[in-house]
Amino acid sequence: MIKIKADDLVNSKEFVREPVDIEVNNILESSSNKFILTGEKGSGKSTVLCSLEKRGLGSKEQTIKIAPEGVMSLSTREPNKVFNREVFDTFYELSFARDILRYIKSNYPILARKCFAKENEKVYSLTKSFYTTLNNAIYLYESKFDTKVNTKELSYSILRDLRRLLEVEKLNLSIDRFDDINGSSEYVQQIYKRYFDMFDKVIIVSDDPNLNNEKLTEKGYEIRKIEYGSSKEVLREIIKRRIQSHNDNNVDKMNEDLFTQDIFIDKLINQGNNSITRSLDILYITNHLLNFEGSDSSFEKIIDDSIKYEKERVKKLERIIKPPTLYL
């Protein structure tokens, strides 16, 4: 199956917007100002964030979506003697400032050139200097960091000016895979938490399977589980559009009527996972086995075999990949 990134999906024919609109509306209309989106991997959490950002463009309430790296950018999960807290703070302030400037440049290029050219030049100059020292620290074992920037030192003024120039009433922040940043770093999560008070709403995605919902609720977070992939008609429409897209772009056609009938949709929902990605994987596996086995096996048996294969594949990955931890 060809994976479609959430950023591309919301602008494509494959996007089923109705269930996503419901999630976006619930967030925007809620009195809460801090949200944690949970749910199975591939359930549509990133799509909700992308739709939130797209919905806000040009309006009085906008959402800046960022997706920090999950890999350990500083070669260590937590601060140490070489890459201490000061280095971490500098690295992520520069990163956060670049993310804001990237949002402005991507969505308001005229404004970016006219009003944020100096800020852009400053941030990228500091970033270049920082990375030079970082490379020396890693490869030449020289650990003197001359570039030092405090949290909010650059980003606060950029956001202040952005609010004023766009004349927005609310400016929100969404962070994808929040608990996976820098290899699931507790310190880095706390860095990003310092930025929360600069925004009207903050929406983060968590894949931590052991969340303490009661404790997080007491801290003011609204927990929203994304599971529209468990709706029969939603899943049917998603599969229908993916098949149509496949058939438009491939010689080997998939049978839309076959894969949108109840027997297939019901088995996807009853397999015990709300992941849309997993359901689509099962769709393509089933289609492959159907073409390979033909009439030698019943359609129902082929579906069951596909689900079994996908479950075993996911279990193997789960044994290899350590799940993230949310430190809030």
Side-chain angles (χ1 to χ4, degrees), residues 5-12 15 20 46-48 50-51 54:
K5 295 196 315 185
D7 289 333
D8 298 325
L9 178 62
V10 297
N11 295 309
S12 72
F15 181 46
V20 182
S46 298
T47 304
V48 171
C50 291
S51 190
K54 184 180 179 183

Side-chain angles (χ1 to χ4, degrees), residues 51-63:
S51 190
L52 257 171
E53 182 178 76
K54 184 180 179 183
R55 171 83 69 87
L57 294 176
S59 76
K60 292 297 183 180
E61 180 170 2
Q62 304 198 20
T63 303

